[in-house]
Amino acid sequence: MDFNDTPEEAAYRAEVRKWLDANAKRKASKKDTLEALSGTDALQRAKDWQRKKAEAGFACITWPKEYGGQGGTSIQSVIYSQEEANYLVPTGFYDIGLGMCIPTVLAWGTEEHKARYVGPAIRGEEIWCQLFSEPAGGSDVAGLRTRAEKDGDEWVINGQKVWTSGAHYCDYGIVVVRTDPTVPKHKGLTMFIVDMKSPGVEVRPIRQMSGEANFNEVFFTDVRVPDSDRLGQPGDGWKVALTTLMNERLAVGGGGGADWSELVDLARDAELADGPAINNGAVRERIAQWYVETQGLKYTKFRTLTALSKGQTPGPESSISKIVSAPKMQELGSFAMDLQDIGGIIRDRDISAQNATFQNQWFGGAGYRIAGGTDEILRNIVAERVLGLPQDIRVDKNVPFNEMPKGK
Amino acid sequence: MNFDFSDDQKMLKEQVSKFLSDKCGYDVVRRVLESDELYAEDVWKGLVEMGLTGTAIPEEYGGLGLGALELCVVAEELGRVAAPVPFSSSVFLATEAIKLAGSEAQKQKYLPKLAAGEIIGTLAMAEGTNAPSPRTVKASLKGGKLTGTKMPVPDGEIADIAVVLVNTGGSGDKALSLAIVELNGSGISKEQLKTIDPTRGHAALKFDGAAAELMGAEGEGWDLVRRVLDGAAVWTAFEQVGGAETAMWMARDYALERYAFGRQIGSYQAIKHKLADMYVKIELARSNSYYGAMMLNDNGAELIEAAAAARISATQAYIYAAQENIQTHGGIGYTWEANTQFFYRRAKLLALSLGSQLYWRERLVTQLEARNAA
Ligand SMILES: Cc1cc2nc3c(=O)[nH]c(=O)nc-3n(C[C@H](O)[C@H](O)[C@H](O)COP(=O)(O)OP(=O)(O)OC[C@H]3O[C@@H](n4cnc5c(N)ncnc54)[C@H](O)[C@@H]3O)c2cc1C
């Protein structure tokens, strides 16, 4: 058991490092990171970087060569990510598309789909969003109400999606809709690829509690989608969606934001009423706790990667990552604000400690505990699918969708 | 044993509650959040007209001459609606500091105006992102001139007077003193700060030789300010309990009306336990707050422990209720449009405003240790 690179892996790492050195700036400080991620031209910079990466063969490393990937190993992909994390490069815009949507296209799409969509996505030319959640249900996504009716060679979509991250800059989306309301809810769904520029698609930004507007409402009014852009068979939409959701657990697990090491930085600077924060037992206890959690997640990921590299598919156990990291993100932000005493209320990049990272994370953490499977739903998944406990009594399983009890 | 508020106090509570539910709905909180308004002046005026700013000010200084308990019931109702008014700064902090430390002349000069709501007062302690203490407070008072920067100062932009924690050069805990300064004089600049809760304004106040007077004995500032904070902690605990209850009922109502998987989300134990935990935390906080109120009103021997216990449990209850209220709402709870955010912001603001949990735990245990040794 070890983390050592094999000679081939070491050679690959050296190659990656050489390319990154030539094409990106190494991070000098933590502040550097923030600067690189913000700004109005962030999207364009992300597109430029994705194209560069693709041209050099470092984008979507594990995907098949025939569709524009590299046919590489998961370990190579990990090596690349580990190295890239040391450089100032834009991130974020491609996580959903390349992490969740395109893997679904690869798993369920026709040859035409793969030939048409995968390449431009890898090169960053087309960005994708995930159109699943609706006002009527996010946890219970299969309770969705947006419907599609067949009209000749086309489907006509009407309804509304919500919380769609990035829809305002996306080119395509995968959308799951109800094509048969007379059968139980999981059986009447179908997945489509939708061009976000189609007539009848209207994207309205939703402002988050934190002030930014990164997600949207998306309205569909008589939107026509060719039958050829269907993913899977009519009625198979739920199975297709599960592919996306499984990938979501892998793609979003990490969380990010400030961690124990930023907290150590802060604690070394901060003065509590009774002395330096770093000497305070309660502070030391929290640092220890978050270190242990972060390490636990990191090595859990290594175990998953090892399994992946042996050809196994990750199961519902990857849910544990977000169960730990989402509340941690919120609590760590909150505790770091405590260390700044009443000054912790200031949320100003120019005044607050570490550019207001902690205040922003305290806001963001509240959303992250909900996005991509809530804390509660992820626990249900672990309890039911990993530990084999019985499901809650389901009143909706065998009832036709149009006869199901509904609330607000 | 009669561990409860009196009928008169309950009537006052009723009256305040009615006024606030008429005049301080969510639309008012949102208006202050989204505009340049520094506070809800209309609501503030109404509170002043009801005489509430003078609740605990003796009649000889123009107040109603009531006690600490009446302020508790007012605080709870203000918290319940997340009122965007400078009540805590002016009443719990500035007024009480003057009552505690002011000379007869200072009391004569300021208390009647504070009681009548003609002026707004505040307490300026912190100097940035370190906890205020004899080691971190640098603002100085020399020859009646105040120099230094205080931030964040609650309601610093709208306040007319501030009680300021200054360093007068003594050693150890004797380094600090209190000063009183009028904020519309010269040598003062004010700048509004960006904070996590814009519904309660905070400013940076820069003093450059501003005229100020010592308040209380020199070298007693740290002791005095901590006593002021003990009292404020009790009232704030009631404010926190009020806010926490609103967050809890908001979550409970949503849990009844929202369906997932064909059932009310409130029928899932994950949600039930969350709501039950909110309730338990709030009840503990309420009970500790009652005891704090009793100690404060009677100037009891266990005031420090009681205030700290009220503060710590009320902070925990409000933080938990506000954050899990969002969680119970799912995606909609994380939007700007939702009212859940008012309580998330305010819960954290109040958790920090009189010093963080770390300060209060330390104060509590130091006190318990002393009692144990005695
Ligand atoms: C920042 C952010 C970004 C997002 N981006 C996207 C996106 O790009 N695409 C997309 O499709 N969606 C997106 N979402 C939506 C997200 O997936 C949903 O918000 C989430 O699944 C919860 O659904 P909901 O909001 O309908 O809440 P609900 O499902 O109504 O949940 C409300 C509460 O009930 C609880 N609950 C529900 N069912 C159960 C149960 N069986 N047992 C116990 N508790 C239960 C939940 O845990 C929650 O606390 C995003 C959300 C956020 C916050």
Side-chain angles (χ1 to χ4, degrees):
Chain A
M1 193 193 282
D2 62 52
F3 297 147
N4 300 340
D5 288 342
T6 62
E8 300 81 58
E9 286 161 6
Y12 185 75
R13 193 182 291 278
E15 187 193 326
V16 167
R17 225 175 257 177
K18 193 168 147 220
W19 183 79
L20 283 167
D21 275 334
N23 290 281
K25 205 173 125 213
R26 220 170 217 287
K27 280 179 196 167
S29 71
K30 282 166 185 148
K31 189 169 173 216
D32 256 4
T33 324
L34 280 160
E35 240 89 82
L37 294 181
S38 59
T40 45
D41 60 341
L43 175 60
Q44 190 52 50
R45 280 189 287 159
K47 286 193 171 188
D48 294 345
W49 178 243
Q50 187 64 28
R51 180 177 38 76
K52 248 189 182 174
K53 242 161 85 164
E55 281 166 1
F58 293 121
C60 307
I61 290 166
T62 58
W63 294 3
K65 273 212 159 105
E66 52 199 302
Y67 306 121
Q70 297 301 316
T73 64
S74 330
I75 297 300
Q76 287 178 331
S77 169
V78 173
I79 290 174
Y80 180 82
S81 312
Q82 286 175 341
E83 293 301 319
E84 196 194 64
N86 299 320
Y87 294 79
L88 279 173
V89 299
T91 55
F93 294 95
Y94 291 94
D95 294 351
I96 291 177
L98 298 177
M100 297 155 62
C101 301
I102 301 294
T104 310
V105 173
L106 282 168
W108 291 89
T110 60
E111 278 313 307
E112 289 75 31
H113 291 148
K114 296 183 210 173
R116 161 64 189 85
Y117 295 118
V118 182
I122 294 179
R123 293 191 298 276
E125 293 155 13
E126 292 169 355
I127 310 185
W128 288 60
C129 58
Q130 175 204 14
L131 298 145
F132 285 18
S133 301
E134 296 194 2
S139 302
D140 181 17
V141 97
L144 60 88
R145 299 177 190 176
T146 296
R147 60 195 190 280
E149 275 147 22
K150 190 95 187 282
D151 181 25
D153 282 347
E154 293 180 326
W155 294 80
V156 184
I157 304 181
N158 279 289
Q160 182 198 347
K161 294 290 172 178
V162 75
W163 323 129
T164 319
S165 302
H168 52 302
Y169 54 72
C170 281
D171 304 284
Y172 289 91
I174 53 174
V175 62
V176 56
V177 297
R178 186 162 308 280
T179 45
D180 186 354
T182 64
V183 293
K185 63 181 190 177
H186 290 93
K187 305 219 166 87
L189 304 177
T190 307
M191 185 80 77
F192 294 97
I193 293 170
V194 61
D195 180 346
M196 295 298 285
K197 308 284 177 318
S198 310
V201 175
E202 191 198 339
V203 177
R204 290 189 208 151
I206 304 177
R207 212 167 153 201
Q208 286 138 233
M209 172 174 78
S210 55
E212 299 93 26
N214 299 329
F215 55 20
N216 305 272
E217 294 176 286
V218 182
F219 294 88
F220 290 82
T221 313
D222 294 330
V223 175
R224 295 193 160 259
V225 176
D227 187 50
S228 58
D229 273 346
R230 181 167 32 79
L231 286 174
Q233 291 305 311
D236 274 352
W238 184 244
K239 276 196 243 162
V240 182
L242 283 180
T243 304
T244 319
L245 296 175
M246 276 300 165
N247 279 287
E248 177 160 36
R249 310 272 183 261
L250 278 183
V252 303
D259 206 331
W260 60 270
S261 106
E262 286 78 8
L263 192 61
V264 172
D265 291 343
L266 177 71
R268 294 178 57 148
D269 285 345
E271 280 283 333
L272 304 177
D274 58 320
I278 192 70
N279 294 343
N280 183 293
V283 177
R284 297 176 81 81
E285 183 199 314
R286 300 300 280 268
I287 292 170
Q289 182 58 31
W290 282 317
Y291 174 82
V292 170
E293 289 182 9
T294 299
Q295 293 297 98
L297 286 184
K298 178 171 154 193
Y299 297 126
T300 302
K301 190 162 180 193
F302 282 16
R303 284 168 52 216
T304 308
L305 290 167
T306 302
L308 275 177
S309 72
K310 293 180 179 158
Q312 298 161 15
T313 42
E317 64 277 2
S318 22
S319 299
I320 74 166
S321 176
K322 213 178 126 307
I323 289 177
V324 177
S325 62
K328 179 174 129 221
M329 181 174 173
Q330 185 178 38
E331 278 163 30
L332 195 146
S334 186
F335 186 71
M337 289 160 75
D338 288 351
L339 292 195
Q340 301 167 57
D341 205 74
I342 168 83
I345 68 165
I346 303 172
R347 186 188 184 204
D348 184 333
R349 294 190 45 160
D350 298 328
I351 302 176
S352 306
Q354 300 182 28
N355 310 93
T357 309
F358 299 112
Q359 286 78 11
N360 292 335
Q361 161 158 350
W362 168 75
F363 276 113
Y368 185 48
R369 288 180 55 199
I370 297 163
T374 65
D375 287 1
E376 292 74 29
I377 293 298
L378 295 179
R379 282 182 173 78
N380 286 350
I381 290 173
V382 169
E384 293 167 11
R385 305 223 199 112
V386 182
L387 302 177
L389 295 170
Q391 288 197 342
D392 278 319
I393 292 166
R394 293 282 293 262
V395 296
D396 59 340
K397 270 239 145 130
N398 302 309
V399 189
F401 177 74
N402 52 13
E403 292 170 20
M404 227 173 63
K406 299 180 181 76
K408 189 174 169 181
Chain B
M1 179 152 38
N2 181 13
F3 194 46
D4 197 3
F5 289 90
S6 71
D7 288 345
D8 282 352
Q9 287 153 356
K10 286 181 186 164
M11 242 164 65
L12 174 66
K13 183 170 163 161
E14 205 41 42
Q15 201 188 343
V16 177
S17 160
K18 184 165 180 330
F19 167 77
L20 290 171
S21 55
D22 284 353
K23 295 289 189 294
C24 193
Y26 291 145
D27 54 325
V28 174
V29 185
R30 184 165 292 281
R31 193 184 79 204
V32 176
L33 176 68
E34 294 181 350
S35 71
D36 296 334
E37 266 176 87
L38 298 170
Y39 68 116
E41 208 176 335
D42 44 347
V43 178
W44 177 245
K45 281 207 172 120
L47 295 169
V48 167
E49 271 162 30
M50 291 167 80
L52 298 176
T53 38
T55 306
I57 294 178
E59 280 165 310
E60 50 184 309
Y61 300 111
L64 299 179
L66 300 168
L69 297 179
E70 284 75 13
L71 274 188
C72 291
V73 301
V74 177
E76 184 177 336
E77 295 313 307
L78 291 170
R80 200 177 299 286
V81 298
V85 292
F87 203 86
S88 52
S89 310
S90 202
V91 179
F92 305 157
L93 296 172
T95 299
E96 290 301 315
I98 295 169
K99 274 169 66 185
L100 178 71
S103 64
E104 188 50 39
Q106 285 163 338
K107 289 184 191 168
Q108 294 279 1
K109 187 166 177 194
Y110 297 115
L111 290 180
K113 288 186 180 162
L114 285 165
E118 284 165 28
I119 58 172
I120 291 171
T122 187
L123 176 67
M125 297 187 292
E127 300 181 7
T129 56
N130 287 321
S133 78
R135 287 173 304 106
T136 57
V137 168
K138 301 279 183 276
S140 70
L141 179 72
K142 284 195 191 97
K145 302 268 178 234
L146 176 59
T147 307
T149 300
K150 287 287 175 182
M151 73 169 188
V153 180
D155 303 296
E157 273 222 284
I158 57 171
D160 304 284
I161 59 165
V163 175
V164 184
L165 192 58
V166 292
N167 195 314
T168 39
S171 72
D173 281 2
K174 298 290 172 198
L176 303 184
S177 305
L178 291 183
I180 187 155
V181 55
E182 296 186 7
L183 296 174
N184 26 32
S186 63
I188 301 170
S189 61
K190 308 173 185 179
E191 197 191 327
Q192 190 69 7
L193 292 167
K194 290 184 217 155
T195 72
I196 56 164
D197 185 7
T199 66
R200 293 287 295 110
H202 284 73
L205 298 185
K206 206 173 259 170
F207 300 102
D208 189 6
E213 261 177 30
L214 193 67
M215 198 171 87
E218 184 169 322
E220 291 304 311
W222 184 230
D223 184 51
L224 288 168
V225 85
R226 283 189 295 175
R227 285 165 62 193
V228 171
L229 291 178
D230 289 340
V234 174
W235 292 310
T236 304
F238 278 90
E239 191 177 343
Q240 291 169 304
V241 165
E245 281 193 353
T246 306
M248 177 182 75
W249 287 110
M250 208 187 242
R252 179 266 196 185
D253 289 348
Y254 192 75
L256 287 175
E257 70 189 28
R258 175 71 169 176
Y259 277 62
F261 308 97
R263 281 168 49 177
Q264 289 162 303
I265 59 168
S267 71
Y268 294 110
Q269 286 194 346
I271 298 295
K272 281 185 194 162
H273 288 185
K274 198 188 281 307
L275 292 171
D277 284 344
M278 287 185 198
Y279 178 79
V280 169
K281 285 180 203 293
I282 290 170
E283 289 307 303
L284 286 186
R286 179 178 287 286
S287 303
N288 281 327
S289 300
Y290 274 38
Y291 185 58
M294 190 171 105
M295 284 295 121
L296 184 60
N297 199 48
D298 303 348
N299 205 3
E302 290 191 3
L303 174 60
I304 294 177
E305 300 90 307
R311 166 124 187 110
I312 292 167
S313 54
T315 298
Q316 288 170 347
Y318 199 0
I319 292 278
Y320 183 78
Q323 119 189 351
E324 299 310 312
N325 180 31
I326 293 179
Q327 184 69 17
T328 303
H329 278 73
I332 194 85
Y334 185 58
T335 59
W336 185 265
E337 182 199 341
N339 298 327
T340 46
Q341 61 161 321
F342 302 152
F343 299 90
Y344 192 65
R345 295 172 186 277
R346 187 63 62 81
K348 192 66 194 174
L349 177 84
L350 292 182
L352 295 176
S353 64
L354 306 173
S356 77
Q357 293 266 299
L358 291 152
Y359 168 82
W360 288 98
R361 284 164 202 251
E362 189 58 40
R363 180 144 178 86
L364 174 60
V365 178
T366 304
Q367 185 66 15
L368 296 179
E369 243 182 329
R371 200 166 81 187
N372 181 271

